């Protein structure tokens, strides 16, 4: 679902792979481009600070197969702290294909607790994988749905 002009869903395989890759049950923060791929039942979370043009991206599989830092109830705090724990952040969520687990609901509660608005989502049962790119220089989030 497209919710803001900085969040775009593209129905094709990504033509790029430059930037900092974030693997499964991992996150990173920084400048430039952060990206992850293979989003299916997993959840990708971006957090962005427009004033400093810095962002964070997490790729979590949820449940207790991850270390506690990557549990849905903890990942928001980890991203928030990696960005300095300041106000004015925005977030996006992508994933949860082919699963009844709604880890996004837990993440959204945590974002709400910190008063971080969700400006875009692409959630739910699509029969394809996704890649997520966060371009920190512009704040643009691109979600590619593999064909």
């Amino acid at each position: 679902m497209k919710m803001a002009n900085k969040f775009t869903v593209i129905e094709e395989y990504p033509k790029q792979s430059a930037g900092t890759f974030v693997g499964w049950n991992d996150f990173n923060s920084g400048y430039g481009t952060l990206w992850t791929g293979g989003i299916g039942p997993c959840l990708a979370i971006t957090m962005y600070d427009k004033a400093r043009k810095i962002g964070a991206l997490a790729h979590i599989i949820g449940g207790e197969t991850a270390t506690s830092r990557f549990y849905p109830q903890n990942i928001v705090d980890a991203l928030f702290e990696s960005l300095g724990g300041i106000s004015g952040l925005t977030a996006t969520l992508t994933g949860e294909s082919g699963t009844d687990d709604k880890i996004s609901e837990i993440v959204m509660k945590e974002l709400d607790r910190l008063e971080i608005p969700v400006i875009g989502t692409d959630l739910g049962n699509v029969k394809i994988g996704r890649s997520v790119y966060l371009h920190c220089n512009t704040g643009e989030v691109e979600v590619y749905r593999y064909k």
Side-chain angles (χ1 to χ4, degrees):
M1 169 170 46
K2 188 173 177 181
M3 299 175 74
N5 63 355
K6 295 279 186 176
F7 185 83
T8 307
V9 175
I10 303 164
E11 300 284 343
E12 64 185 45
Y13 197 82
K15 295 179 177 82
Q16 57 187 337
S17 60
T20 302
F21 177 73
V22 177
W24 289 12
N25 277 333
D26 200 3
F27 77 91
N28 205 334
S29 60
Y31 302 92
T33 298
L34 304 170
W35 71 280
T36 191
I39 301 293
C42 311
L43 187 67
I45 305 138
T46 70
M47 206 175 280
Y48 183 67
D49 176 356
K50 182 179 179 179
R52 296 185 302 152
K53 296 185 188 270
I54 187 172
L57 171 65
H59 181 157
I60 63 170
I61 62 173
E64 298 196 9
T65 58
T67 61
S68 63
R69 177 182 196 181
F70 296 103
Y71 289 176
Q73 60 271 29
N74 298 337
I75 193 63
V76 171
D77 283 332
L79 293 174
F80 183 69
E81 290 168 14
S82 77
L83 294 175
I86 62 166
S87 62
L89 302 173
T90 57
T92 69
L93 305 173
T94 303
E96 294 186 334
S97 292
T99 182
D100 292 330
D101 295 336
K102 298 299 177 201
I103 57 178
S104 63
E105 293 173 4
I106 298 167
V107 170
M108 283 190 214
K109 281 184 187 177
E110 293 301 307
L111 290 166
D112 189 53
R113 176 181 59 83
L114 293 172
E115 299 179 357
I116 299 172
V118 175
I119 63 161
T121 63
D122 186 31
L123 300 170
N125 198 10
V126 293
K127 303 265 188 232
I128 49 180
R130 300 173 176 113
S131 287
V132 177
Y133 288 77
L134 170 58
H135 302 285
C136 298
N137 57 334
T138 63
E140 172 122 19
V141 175
E142 295 173 326
V143 176
Y144 289 88
R145 290 180 172 181
Y146 311 149
K147 288 187 172 190

